Amino acid sequence: PLVVTGAAGNWALEGGGLVLAGKLQVRDTEASPRFHPLASDDARLRLVDGTIIATAGLESPTGIPVAQVEIRHDLGEGKGAAKIAVPGLRFAEGRLQPSDLTPLTFGLIADVSGTVEGRGEILWSPDGVSSSGRFGTRAIDLAAAFGPVRGLATELIFSDLLNMRTAPGQVATTV
């Protein structure tokens, strides 16, 4: 349900394979998008011996680094994986907010201040697609529909990252 658009750059034959380097955009194709389009100015794709290896740093529509992505796909077997790393996404009042990245938080939380980090993985094969992830914060402040929250510490474990489903039994505390 994701599509790459606006790809442009240069290509070369290098080390026995094809290398593409340039820029692109990634967007959600769902009727109700889960995230706003992200862009990369450092996308790189290498095709060697039937395997595609692609990397990109993804940025918010305002140019703030959001994640690093690495994709590996075996063309012969039709299977692969995408690894997503969020090393430290900083939210601050008057700056980047979750609603700048996803419409899913609009009306639920606002005025977020703190850092989120984590990892996600999407796996695919002829048998289907699965995804998972772990994202957390050590102390984050936010305004929620039920009132202010200060010092929230939690780790969200996603059993299905693409469909934003979390595993049961998750715990959040305040510090």
Side-chain angles (χ1 to χ4, degrees):
L2 307 177
V3 68
V4 174
T5 61
N10 298 311
W11 67 272
L13 294 175
E14 194 177 285
L18 174 67
V19 175
L20 306 171
K23 63 181 185 172
L24 55 82
Q25 286 187 338
V26 178
R27 68 178 175 81
D28 191 351
T29 60
E30 293 290 311
S32 297
R34 296 159 292 188
F35 64 91
H36 298 302
L38 298 171
S40 176
D41 288 331
D42 67 353
R44 184 172 170 86
L45 181 143
R46 183 178 166 100
L47 172 60
V48 177
D49 295 328
T51 299
I52 295 172
I53 301 170
T55 59
L58 296 176
E59 298 179 344
S60 73
T62 58
I64 296 171
V66 174
Q68 288 293 126
V69 177
E70 179 183 307
I71 298 170
R72 291 181 176 267
H73 180 75
D74 183 311
L75 292 168
E77 293 187 27
K79 67 180 189 177
K83 295 184 181 194
I84 305 157
V86 178
L89 187 55
R90 175 88 176 115
F91 296 104
E93 288 186 50
R95 298 199 178 188
L96 182 68
Q97 289 293 298
S99 60
D100 295 329
L101 301 175
T102 176
L104 299 176
T105 62
F106 187 76
L108 297 175
I109 59 171
D111 301 329
V112 177
S113 181
T115 302
V116 172
E117 58 190 14
R119 298 185 134 339
E121 184 174 57
I122 303 167
L123 303 171
W124 60 87
S125 73
D127 297 327
V129 177
S130 65
S131 61
S132 62
R134 289 170 115 39
F135 297 87
T137 182
R138 291 184 191 101
I140 203 164
D141 300 334
L142 57 92
F146 53 80
V149 177
R150 300 286 176 246
L152 177 70
T154 191
E155 181 178 59
L156 289 175
I157 300 168
F158 288 89
S159 55
D160 184 345
L161 184 60
L162 285 173
N163 290 306
M164 304 293 282
R165 289 196 183 101
T166 56
Q170 309 234 9
V171 175
T173 61
T174 55
V175 291

